[in-house]
Amino acid sequence: MKGSAHVFDQGSLSGDPLSILDQAGRLVAGYEVDGDDLRRLYESMVWIRTYDRKATAMQLQGRLATYSPFFGQEACQIGSVAALADGDWLAGTYRDAGAMWFRGYSWERLFLGRTGDERGGQPAEDVTVMPPSITVGGHMVHAVGLSWAEKMKGSGKIALTMFGEGATSEGDFHEAMNFAGVFHTPTVFFCQNNQYAISAPREIQTASDSIAQKALAYGMVGYLVNGNDVLAVREVTAAAAERARNGDGPSLIEAITYRRGPHTTADDPTKYRTSQEEDLWTERDPLERVRAYLADAGLWDEPWQTELEEAAGVAVETAVGAAEALPKLDAGNFFDAVFENPNPTLSDEKAAAARRLELGEA
Amino acid sequence: MARALNDGLRLALSGDERVLLMGEDVGRAGGVFRISDKLRGEFGEERVIDAPVAESGIVGVAFGMAVAGMRPIVELQFMGFSYPAYDQIISHVSRIRHRSRHRFTAPMVIRIPYGGGIGAAEHHSESMESIYLHIPGLKVVVPSTPVDAKGLLLAAVEDPDPVVFLEPIRSYRSITEVVPGDYYTTPIGEAAVRREGTDVTLISYGAMMRETLGAADVLEGRGISAEVIDLRSLVPLDVDTIVASVIKTGRVAVVHEAPRTGGFGGEIAAIVQEKAFFSLEMPVLRVTGWDSVFPLKRSERLYLPNVAGIAEEVQTRLFEG
Ligand SMILES: Cc1ncc(C[n+]2csc(CCOP(=O)(O)OP(=O)(O)O)c2C)c(N)n1
């Protein structure tokens, strides 16, 4: 690949986003692709799309509480975290189940959280992924702290935080960026600019030409990337991660993408956007361009696609089954997770809650 | 109730051109609960403003507008997302009158959907009214019926001081009644006696009124006559209505879904023992949510007070205890 660390013209940060594979799946001049590597990235994208579809369908059947699909953002979900190393931190949002899974957060736990069970917030011991942040913006500051701690410990690990363009309007975004800049923390800020914050188009969030530009004001490096191009996303994230690991400080990546589905299963996008616009982004689908490239190179065929989808489907179904089979959270499990040692008030309440439940169900 | 609120907002906007509505998704989408449905089309994007995702900014900017003579109504999407604005509310909105000795005031309404029972994700079910009613200089209003929702909303808009207007999410679509179409206000600071009774006073507000009234029915079947008070306004509080009822019944239970510790039930208990101590036959009972994080869908029933539970506690602790 061309150069290991792209650094954009930091003067504007508002030109064309970096692309490696164009919409038709053609390689942009100057880049090379390792076919097996691209097949692996594609495979991951197929897997998470399968999960996303399943979760959306289950919500419609009433088996999950609201769900926030990342449909259309698979290149961001995979390309970003594919650039991380073991033990690096991920702090993302309600829309980042794909990235969380790639980093080891099990589908079973992801489903569990969505069924309305607190145990979904508990990843396995060796998984350095924070539970998804449902409040917009709160978690970006945490990534600064996580990565700063790693710097203090000299572990060589970094943190990546994912958030939407809407989140850049919250005060916490600015505080996080400022801290990271001032203390030169090994933090990668990864903004998925998916064009909408619920119904609000990107123009409502900022009057600046790009979000990437905001890096300059905080004394860090900015990147602008085509967020539907998994190779380009990984390329810039790897550059940012390398800078962080080398002690060169934080970066802000703006990945331009599109949320093809609704904000959540409770949202109706026809209220605020046109089907022409949706069609435009259907053509820019992140999986399609990779498939086109692979097919051209003789690295893709229907049977392989079917095999991938089937394997992903089975894995997803198994995870759903495991999540649904878990015994219901009882009062004990619920009250005992408030403090390490429950206080007498909580112990009394636990008993009373069990009785309340009994009466409520009678 | 959603329709009544929409109607109230429409009348507020059409009756006074200083009134404006600002919040996340309130314009194009008409609000995540559709409370401001169609208002952007009717009043324009300058008066029904889609804001950036920035609660502190929304409240702080509205505060500036209020000081400069406008009458902003802001919507914070869920109580669990109101906290980034808390600093503005506690440090500025609630105390500019005091700080400036009446020279500047902040007549504004902060609408906050609150409460559980809808099986929502984390942060979407909270009932943290205590953190607002603890702030000097802030009124806190909670309607339980569509008629009151409209009347109290219009009263809040007219009010010379800032009002936190709590909207019970689970009542938006489940509680309906015929609402007068004209402009009217419901005075802030007056409780409503929803049901007269002689043996016990049940006190609640907002979404919990339904369970409380249901418990009164159950108690009636067991020979206990309950008087039910809907507070409607937590600050200012209608102490007289509470005390008059307690003097009559001698027994009191307060019902709320907010956590027990530091909850409004404690405040009512204190007031009752100060003002009607010698009328009390039994200690004041609290039936509340717990001191745990509000649960997700699967455990909601462990948490929220329910009809049978309220009735049982009232009966066993106030009559058999
Ligand atoms: C502090 C806070 N305010 C409001 C909300 C309600 N809310 C949930 S998602 C969202 C839009 C966020 O948009 P963006 O950051 O662009 O991310 P996207 O959902 O598009 O992935 C809003 C306003 C929230 N969850 N947290």
Side-chain angles (χ1 to χ4, degrees):
Chain A
M1 299 212 175
K2 191 162 83 180
S4 66
H6 282 278
V7 178
F8 279 82
D9 168 10
Q10 298 288 305
S12 68
L13 274 174
S14 64
D16 286 337
L18 177 79
S19 266
I20 293 181
L21 269 187
D22 73 12
Q23 200 169 312
R26 283 180 306 252
L27 204 56
V28 171
Y31 289 96
E32 285 163 26
V33 168
D34 168 347
D36 284 339
D37 171 49
L38 188 56
R39 272 168 61 98
R40 279 192 297 273
L41 290 174
Y42 181 72
E43 183 172 346
S44 293
M45 292 198 290
V46 171
W47 275 61
I48 64 170
R49 183 167 280 189
T50 306
Y51 161 85
D52 195 63
R53 283 215 175 107
K54 178 74 187 172
T56 306
M58 282 175 66
Q59 200 287 328
L60 295 176
Q61 296 158 0
R63 288 159 75 196
L64 298 189
T66 45
Y67 174 67
S68 18
F70 51 75
F71 180 43
Q73 299 178 216
E74 292 87 351
C76 287
Q77 293 289 305
I78 298 298
S80 57
V81 287
L84 295 183
D86 277 356
D88 287 345
W89 288 93
L90 172 64
T93 76
Y94 47 83
R95 203 178 303 291
D96 298 321
M100 292 171 70
W101 164 76
F102 193 89
R103 296 293 297 159
Y105 208 107
S106 74
W107 272 341
E108 178 190 332
R109 292 285 150 169
L110 291 167
F111 275 119
L112 199 58
R114 291 293 184 173
T115 62
D117 187 310
E118 278 74 8
R119 287 166 293 188
Q122 180 191 38
E125 279 302 326
D126 58 342
V127 173
T128 45
V129 178
M130 295 292 279
S133 175
I134 290 172
T135 61
V136 171
H139 64 297
M140 298 180 272
V141 226
H142 307 162
V144 177
L146 291 165
S147 62
W148 194 356
E150 296 302 340
K151 185 177 165 187
M152 288 167 175
K153 294 187 288 185
S155 70
K157 297 182 177 25
I158 66 170
L160 181 139
T161 177
M162 303 179 86
F163 50 92
E165 81 290 348
T168 67
S169 298
E170 291 281 4
D172 273 354
F173 167 73
H174 302 273
E175 297 191 21
M177 295 279 288
N178 196 47
F179 251 86
V182 168
F183 294 101
H184 219 59
T185 60
T187 322
V188 179
F189 292 88
F190 189 92
C191 178
Q192 294 176 88
N193 174 359
N194 67 3
Q195 313 305 328
Y196 290 92
I198 311 187
S199 69
R202 180 268 194 215
E203 305 80 69
I204 299 279
Q205 308 303 337
T206 178
S208 63
D209 283 344
S210 76
I211 285 163
Q213 276 178 351
K214 295 176 192 286
L216 304 179
Y218 295 100
M220 64 176 80
V221 169
Y223 298 92
L224 189 59
V225 66
N226 181 334
N228 282 10
D229 178 345
V230 68
L231 289 175
V233 171
R234 190 182 54 181
E235 176 83 359
V236 297
T237 314
E242 193 181 308
R243 291 178 51 82
R245 234 180 279 285
N246 290 343
D248 295 330
S251 318
L252 169 65
I253 297 168
E254 175 182 5
I256 313 264
T257 182
Y258 194 75
R259 188 193 79 213
R260 288 186 58 192
H263 169 71
T264 65
T265 40
D267 174 50
D268 172 13
T270 61
K271 288 211 174 251
Y272 52 83
R273 66 190 194 189
T274 64
S275 59
Q276 289 92 312
E277 181 186 290
E278 291 179 354
D279 292 346
L280 193 72
W281 286 91
T282 304
E283 288 165 23
R284 299 179 185 160
D285 186 73
L287 273 73
E288 273 314 299
R289 72 184 64 205
V290 178
R291 198 191 52 77
Y293 175 89
L294 291 174
D296 259 7
L299 295 168
W300 179 94
D301 56 26
E302 283 288 353
W304 183 55
Q305 180 77 25
T306 311
E307 186 189 311
L308 277 187
E309 285 174 9
E310 276 172 13
V314 169
V316 165
E317 287 294 345
T318 309
V320 171
E324 290 186 333
L326 222 67
K328 240 180 134 176
L329 199 67
D330 59 14
N333 198 318
F334 187 75
F335 281 90
D336 295 348
V338 183
F339 292 110
E340 178 155 345
N341 301 308
N343 59 38
T345 305
L346 277 170
S347 304
D348 288 352
E349 290 186 1
K350 179 160 95 179
R355 175 69 182 149
R356 176 173 293 177
L357 181 65
E358 208 178 293
L359 286 166
E361 311 225 300
Chain B
M1 181 178 291
R3 188 119 47 84
L5 287 165
N6 181 260
D7 190 26
L9 288 174
R10 179 175 291 104
L11 289 172
L13 283 158
S14 58
D16 181 345
E17 59 189 27
R18 297 171 304 167
V19 173
L20 58 92
L21 176 66
M22 181 161 68
E24 293 156 19
D25 305 288
V26 299
R28 287 171 184 77
V32 286
F33 293 108
R34 305 274 178 269
I35 304 302
S36 51
D37 197 27
K38 303 210 165 62
L39 298 180
R40 185 178 192 253
E42 290 170 42
F43 299 98
E45 57 187 290
E46 284 177 5
R47 294 186 66 204
V48 180
I49 304 168
D50 271 327
V53 187
E55 294 74 19
S56 176
I58 290 168
V59 170
V61 168
F63 166 80
M65 291 172 164
V67 169
M70 305 303 279
R71 291 274 174 157
I73 304 172
V74 303
E75 175 180 304
L76 299 177
Q77 246 164 28
F78 285 85
M79 186 172 270
F81 306 139
S82 68
Y83 314 135
Y86 194 66
D87 175 52
Q88 284 295 331
I89 296 172
I90 193 169
S91 305
H92 306 291
V93 172
S94 60
R95 55 173 85 182
I96 188 64
R97 177 186 293 281
H98 189 263
R99 183 183 295 148
S100 69
R101 305 282 98 185
H102 300 285
R103 169 67 177 86
F104 299 119
T105 58
M108 58 191 279
V109 181
I110 304 173
R111 295 179 38 233
I112 311 181
Y114 85 97
I118 52 164
E122 196 186 350
H123 312 289
H124 291 73
S125 307
E126 307 201 347
S127 188
M128 289 290 174
E129 56 273 19
S130 281
I131 70 167
Y132 290 107
L133 58 92
H134 199 59
I135 301 178
L138 203 62
K139 295 183 179 177
V140 181
V141 168
V142 198
S144 77
T145 69
V147 171
D148 278 358
K150 177 174 166 183
L152 287 168
L153 178 67
L154 290 170
V157 175
E158 284 184 10
D159 202 278
D161 285 300
V163 178
V164 165
F165 190 86
L166 303 178
E167 301 176 5
I169 295 173
R170 74 172 177 282
S171 308
Y172 271 149
R173 301 213 143 62
S174 64
I175 309 270
T176 53
E177 67 181 337
V178 177
V179 177
D182 53 346
Y183 188 105
Y184 65 91
T185 56
T186 304
I188 293 176
E190 288 182 15
V193 176
R194 297 290 180 203
R195 174 186 175 123
E196 304 215 359
T198 50
D199 301 334
V200 59
T201 302
L202 307 183
I203 301 175
S204 191
Y205 49 91
M208 266 298 144
M209 282 305 297
R210 185 161 65 178
E211 280 73 14
T212 306
L213 286 163
D217 283 341
V218 172
L219 289 167
E220 165 130 80
R222 296 178 193 169
I224 296 171
S225 157
E227 178 142 305
V228 180
I229 297 178
D230 177 358
L231 292 177
R232 302 200 284 192
S233 161
L234 307 184
V235 180
L237 183 67
D238 184 351
V239 174
D240 291 350
T241 298
I242 298 171
V243 171
S245 179
V246 176
I247 288 172
K248 182 166 70 169
T249 64
R251 290 177 169 82
V252 190
V254 191
V255 182
H256 60 63
E257 62 186 272
R260 172 165 302 193
T261 299
F264 203 53
E267 187 60 32
I268 304 264
I271 289 171
V272 166
Q273 63 86 20
E274 282 164 8
K275 309 262 182 193
F277 186 68
F278 295 106
S279 302
L280 283 177
E281 305 277 346
M282 292 297 267
V284 176
L285 170 69
R286 290 177 291 169
V287 184
T288 65
W290 311 121
D291 295 311
S292 62
V293 174
F294 192 95
L296 301 180
K297 189 175 180 183
R298 281 199 186 182
S299 303
E300 272 195 315
R301 283 142 78 83
L302 201 61
Y303 188 94
L304 287 172
N306 56 51
V307 171
I310 298 168
E312 180 182 86
E313 284 210 58
V314 169
Q315 190 179 356
T316 57
R317 305 217 0 231
L318 296 184
F319 291 90
E320 292 161 15

